[in-house]
């Protein structure tokens, strides 16, 4: 005698999608706030060490400062990336579902450009990590930006693949929205990282 098991219809989810989405949004906002605290601590450390300049150790004589423009160029690329992603997010809420896939692909391409630029900047800095307080601070800020870019690339590839498969719609776009929060933050973070590196010499130095 063979036992037959009948599998019924799956039970509906007990929570409304908006409830789940709001929970996702809260989680991403908390991650961003934690990252804000971390990045601002790096910026504070940069200006603190620059202002303190103990025994002239901030930027000793003979130590060359890093060019200022690369950090701002990377920030500009990430601002453009966030803006493109945002355009896809707005489009999907207006019913243009196909736009999010294209926008995410372009935004990802810009992230890759920023990633390559950040690696090149770190690899071509005219000093070693341990030469001074200034050099250490520049490397740490660049490394933090590199981490942001790598994480965004990972998340963005997943978003592009899901949008390519048509898994998002105007009524099912919470993931698009919460990733948009992170994407906007990494553009802001790149600008915040670029600001301190524009101030190289110590006051009175």
């Amino acid at each position: 005698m063979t036992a037959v098991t009948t599998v019924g219809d799956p039970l509906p989810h007990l929570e409304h999608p908006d409830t789940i989405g709001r929970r996702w949004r809260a989680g991403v906002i908390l991650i961003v706030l934690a990252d804000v605290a971390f990045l601002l601590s790096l910026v504070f450390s940069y200006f603190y060490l620059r202002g303190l300049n103990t025994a002239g150790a901030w930027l000793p004589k003979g130590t060359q400062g890093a060019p200022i423009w690369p950090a701002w160029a990377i920030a500009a690329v990430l601002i453009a990336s966030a803006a493109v992603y945002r355009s896809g997010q707005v489009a999907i809420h207006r019913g243009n579902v196909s736009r999010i896939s294209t926008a995410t692909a372009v935004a990802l391409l810009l992230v890759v450009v920023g990633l390559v630029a950040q690696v090149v900047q770190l690899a071509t800095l005219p000093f070693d990590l341990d030469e001074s307080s200034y050099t250490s601070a520049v490397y740490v800020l660049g490394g933090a930006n590199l981490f942001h870019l790598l994480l965004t690339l990972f998340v963005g590839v997943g978003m592009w693949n899901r949008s390519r498969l048509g898994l998002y719609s105007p009524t099912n776009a919470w993931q698009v929205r919460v990733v948009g929060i992170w994407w906007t933050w990494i553009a802001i973070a790149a600008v915040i990282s670029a600001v301190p590196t524009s101030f190289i010499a110590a006051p009175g130095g």
Side-chain angles (χ1 to χ4, degrees):
M1 182 175 180
T2 305
V4 178
T5 302
T6 302
V7 180
D9 294 334
L11 293 175
H13 203 286
L14 297 179
E15 294 182 305
H16 192 277
D18 286 346
T19 301
I20 300 171
R22 283 190 288 269
R23 189 178 300 132
W24 289 345
R25 182 177 59 192
V28 170
I29 289 173
L30 289 174
I31 291 173
V32 168
L33 289 176
D35 199 45
V36 168
F38 171 70
L39 183 59
L40 291 182
S41 69
L42 296 183
V43 173
F44 172 80
S45 298
Y46 184 100
F47 283 115
Y48 177 78
L49 293 171
R50 176 177 174 269
L52 196 61
N53 193 26
T54 303
W58 170 250
L59 190 66
K61 291 182 179 180
T63 302
Q64 183 180 352
I68 295 173
W69 68 266
W72 287 105
I74 294 170
V77 169
L78 294 184
I79 290 171
S81 178
V84 171
Y85 183 87
R86 175 65 180 172
S87 71
Q89 182 180 334
V90 170
I92 197 172
H93 289 302
R94 293 178 176 173
N96 187 351
V97 178
S98 62
R99 177 69 181 274
I100 186 61
S101 178
T102 304
T104 304
V106 175
L108 267 175
L109 179 61
L110 290 170
V111 167
V112 171
V113 171
L115 181 61
V116 171
Q118 185 63 76
V119 170
V120 170
Q121 184 202 30
L122 288 171
T124 57
L125 287 173
F127 42 70
D128 294 327
L129 173 64
D130 58 353
E131 281 189 29
S132 66
S133 302
Y134 163 76
T135 59
S136 298
V138 169
Y139 268 104
V140 171
L141 284 170
N145 203 42
L146 181 61
F147 171 77
H148 287 155
L149 287 161
L150 288 170
L151 185 56
T152 306
L153 180 63
F154 174 77
V155 173
V157 168
M159 289 297 301
W160 171 78
N161 188 50
R162 289 179 63 83
S163 62
R164 179 182 63 85
L165 296 173
L167 299 180
Y168 299 123
S169 68
T171 58
N172 180 29
W174 269 105
Q175 288 184 357
V176 176
R177 293 164 64 180
V178 297
V179 169
I181 295 171
W182 173 259
W183 219 300
T184 300
W185 160 241
I186 62 116
I188 295 172
V191 174
I192 293 174
S193 298
V195 169
T197 58
S198 299
F199 301 87
I200 299 176

